[in-house]
Amino acid sequence: MCGIVGYIGTQTAIDILVHGLEKLEYRGYDSAGVATIIENQIHSVKAKGKLYNLRSKLEKESSIAKIGIGHTRWATHGKPEEYNAHPHLDGQGKIAVVQNGIIENYQELRQQLKTEGCEFVSDTDTEVIPHLIAKYYNPEVDDAFMSAVNKTISRLDGAFAIAVLCVDFPDELIVARQNAPLTIGFGQGEFYCASDVTALVHHTTTILTLENGEIARLTPLGVEIYDFSGQRLRKAPRTLDWSPVTVEKQGFRHFMLKEIHEQPAVVRTCLEAYINSNWEPNSNENPVNLNLSPHIYEDLEHIQIVACGTSWHASLIGKYLLEQIAQIPTFVEYASEFRYSPTPIMRNTATIGVTQSGETADTIAALEMEKQRRIIATNEYRPGILGITNRPESTLATIVDQVINTYAGIEIGVAATKTFLAQVMSFYVLALDLGYRRQKISAQRVMEIINGLSQLPNQMEQILHSEEEKIKELASDFPDTRDFIFIGRGINFPIALEGALKLKEISYIHAEGYPAGEMKHGPIALLDAHVPVVAIAVSGSVYEKVISNAQEAKARDARLIGVVVENDTEDIFQDKLVIPEVDELFSPVLSVIPLQLLSYYIASLRGLDVDQPRNLAKSVTVE
Ligand code: M6R
């Protein structure tokens, strides 16, 4: 949700800023802008729409500036117009600010600043920041720039990450963070900042993630970090084990397609990280290396999960696994609902926040609220808040007691694919760990589950190999289709939801996922020959039931597409997307792949921007 970058050093700032914005564009693409300092003046260029509009404006000028800030916007306050694009300036054009977040008290601040004579040129919440900095700026005091930014921050309510330039300090870039991500990159005599390390890895892998309540001064000589009270902090950067290649398309047309193809490797990585491959039924070791806090293994009575979007779908599969494998009653909540109507506090309950980005505002706020509730309710906090994330350095990690890293690698496509499967894999591992250590499953069953999981990467590769071309061809049958229905039952009901979400978010086709048995209670009224129905009908306990529900759809003239196992003999499906025969328990890891490919090819054949669909952003850091 908006991306910010900053640079100070010896190279041409504009090139570095634009490259950084390109890597952050997945966070929002309603407008983009940069500001630099040239000859004691702020030079700002902005453009509505995607980054290429800004780039073509910048091509007409050459810049020698060695300091600058940049922004790519996902509109919250004010339309996606150029006048609302960042950077925002104070009235005299001496201070420039880019911001990611929301200033909740901006109306009140704006009103006050207006009565003091400030003129506003945008509808954004951000514009109050440069005006406040200008108001507090007193060139007579020591450290005037830093002091003015500090005073300004003390007036801001909400979540924000900012980067600020001031013409009187052409060798200083000031950045600050409060509940929105910001990382500093360290080079040789040059320093960077960005909302996400994806914008930094091309230049440096030496990074420092700013924490909430921290403000930093970047100069060509180094980085100084303070807390908001002005106390100097001593912090050491760390080295990231990423290569710039990780954030390239590597020959695929879109990041989404590349990320779909990376899924077998992601599953392998997860298994290598967490499953003890030498484990045998009579050994003294544990089959899973998660090492959760001991009391979780002993006292746990319930699990509640909070998540949004695709992570919520992964959590529904998690519920199934935790209940069926570990016998722990599990509740899955939308984080955005849980925040305002939480379930009453239950004894011995672990809460799990599931978020690939680790930054989703609703999930973060729900977990913070839950932590506070528990401290107040019990007077004694027992570690019981876990996070499942692909970003162990994210805000989530600062809240939870323990992070389960999903090891999916950076995901750039706005539509989550490999991070979804990585979350699902984390739930297999967690359920197996809890089930075994709490003696809810036999050693024999543990072996069966480990064997089943270990075969998944090859089976996934088989689907990608045998089904992709067929699915591409099938996708061409729906150039004008306006509605799709996805049905599934049991562990594959969340896959119906996920298939529908993937299709709607990247192809803009109306799509709904339903538990197959619920169709006849209302949604079946939607069906006719123009509404294709995708049924996940893999072998297992609910196979016949799903087939009956698919029959009911066929009787209403719907075109039926089945996700079925090899050698399925059912002939009601007009099209079959085939996955290898597996135990039902593992089937979602396979059944989701044809649906990801189907939505990808439908959107791609429609010529849509698959990686950056309209109105969306990868990381939703606003409520
Ligand atoms: O980063 P998170 O996992 O917390 O994100 C949650 C949702 O915003 C995200 O899954 C969203 O639904 C994706 N665009 C789905 O593809």
Side-chain angles (χ1 to χ4, degrees), residues 32 105 127-128 254 312 339 358 365 400 515 536 546 576:
N105 59 336
E127 201 185 351
V128 296
H254 293 102
W312 187 79
R339 291 178 70 170
V400 299
I536 303 147
V546 176
K576 284 186 174 181

Side-chain angles (χ1 to χ4, degrees), residues 307-313 354-361 363 388-389 411 413-417 419 423 498 501-502 505-506 613 616-620:
C308 302
T310 284
S311 297
W312 187 79
H313 298 159
V354 182
T355 160
Q356 80 80 22
S357 63
E359 301 292 348
T360 297
T363 308
I388 295 181
T389 186
E411 184 176 74
V414 164
T417 51
T419 56
Q423 290 169 346
E498 179 60 8
L501 178 61
K502 285 295 86 93
E505 70 181 329
I506 62 168
L616 297 179
K618 182 81 185 156
S619 172
V620 184

Side-chain angles (χ1 to χ4, degrees), residues 171-438:
D171 289 329
E172 279 191 26
L173 169 59
I174 293 190
V175 300
R177 169 191 171 142
Q178 183 61 37
N179 289 322
L182 195 63
T183 300
I184 297 171
F186 291 68
Q188 295 289 338
E190 55 186 356
F191 298 91
Y192 312 77
C193 70
S195 302
D196 188 355
V197 287
T198 47
L200 303 178
V201 284
H202 187 78
H203 309 290
T204 178
T205 49
T206 308
I207 61 145
L208 191 152
T209 305
L210 222 54
E211 286 176 30
N212 290 337
E214 291 181 352
I215 182 166
R217 185 204 325 265
L218 281 57
T219 74
L221 300 178
V223 175
E224 295 161 21
I225 301 173
Y226 301 84
D227 65 18
F228 284 175
S229 70
Q231 199 70 25
R232 179 92 187 255
L233 305 171
R234 304 278 164 201
K235 304 187 94 179
R238 65 193 171 91
T239 307
L240 208 63
D241 59 354
W242 280 25
S243 102
V245 174
T246 324
V247 286
E248 302 299 338
K249 287 191 197 133
Q250 294 171 12
F252 286 93
R253 186 150 172 249
H254 293 102
F255 280 108
M256 181 180 175
L257 190 58
K258 173 189 162 224
E259 287 154 4
I260 290 172
H261 278 264
E262 283 173 345
Q263 294 181 117
V266 167
V267 170
R268 274 192 193 102
T269 305
C270 173
L271 295 174
E272 276 164 23
Y274 292 121
I275 300 288
N276 181 351
S277 55
N278 298 323
W279 186 80
E280 286 177 0
N282 294 325
S283 79
N284 290 330
E285 293 177 10
N286 287 308
V288 175
N289 309 315
L290 269 179
N291 303 320
L292 302 178
S293 152
H295 97 91
I296 290 203
Y297 295 111
E298 290 149 20
D299 304 338
L300 194 60
E301 288 177 32
H302 307 103
I303 292 178
Q304 66 186 9
I305 307 177
V306 292
C308 302
T310 284
S311 297
W312 187 79
H313 298 159
S315 304
L316 291 179
I317 296 174
K319 169 184 164 69
Y320 185 100
L321 298 172
L322 290 164
E323 291 185 339
Q324 302 310 317
I325 298 177
Q327 300 291 304
I328 302 170
T330 302
F331 310 91
V332 182
E333 315 279 352
Y334 283 117
S336 54
E337 292 295 318
F338 183 81
R339 291 178 70 170
Y340 298 106
S341 46
T343 40
I345 290 200
M346 293 177 288
R347 286 182 44 206
N348 297 331
T349 300
T351 300
I352 309 179
V354 182
T355 160
Q356 80 80 22
S357 63
E359 301 292 348
T360 297
D362 284 317
T363 308
I364 295 295
L367 293 172
E368 271 172 343
M369 183 196 76
E370 185 58 15
K371 196 165 181 175
Q372 285 311 315
R373 279 208 313 163
R374 290 193 196 185
I375 289 169
I376 293 165
T378 62
N379 232 350
E380 174 211 5
Y381 182 75
R382 304 189 76 182
I385 304 205
L386 308 180
I388 295 181
T389 186
N390 198 34
R391 294 303 193 96
E393 76 287 359
S394 62
T395 303
L396 175 88
T398 63
I399 300 167
V400 299
D401 302 307
Q402 188 167 356
V403 162
I404 300 176
N405 186 348
T406 62
Y407 293 115
I410 177 76
E411 184 176 74
I412 304 280
V414 164
T417 51
K418 64 173 180 170
T419 56
F420 166 75
L421 271 191
Q423 290 169 346
V424 170
M425 288 307 295
S426 302
F427 277 117
Y428 280 103
V429 167
L430 180 63
L432 192 57
D433 192 31
L434 291 171
Y436 176 73
R437 295 210 203 197
R438 290 158 54 87

Side-chain angles (χ1 to χ4, degrees), residues 148-157 160 162 176 215 228:
V149 177
N150 241 325
K151 281 189 180 136
T152 298
I153 284 170
S154 70
R155 299 286 314 275
L156 306 178
D157 292 341
F160 55 83
I162 56 171
I215 182 166
F228 284 175

Side-chain angles (χ1 to χ4, degrees), residues 55-71:
R55 206 185 262 122
S56 59
K57 274 191 172 181
L58 289 169
E59 269 163 15
K60 294 180 194 122
E61 28 189 296
S62 69
S63 168
I64 50 153
K66 305 286 189 277
I67 180 170
I69 54 178
H71 187 269

Side-chain angles (χ1 to χ4, degrees), residues 525-577:
L526 294 169
L527 298 187
D528 61 24
H530 303 291
V531 183
V533 172
V534 181
I536 303 147
V538 297
S539 48
S541 59
V542 291
Y543 175 74
E544 280 81 14
K545 306 286 173 204
V546 176
I547 294 295
S548 302
N549 301 138
Q551 288 280 14
E552 291 154 13
K554 188 167 180 139
R556 274 80 189 175
D557 295 329
R559 174 172 178 167
L560 274 190
I561 300 161
V563 177
V564 298
V565 298
E566 292 163 326
N567 306 323
D568 179 89
T569 52
E570 189 52 65
D571 62 3
I572 59 167
F573 296 110
Q574 187 165 336
D575 311 278
K576 284 186 174 181
L577 312 178

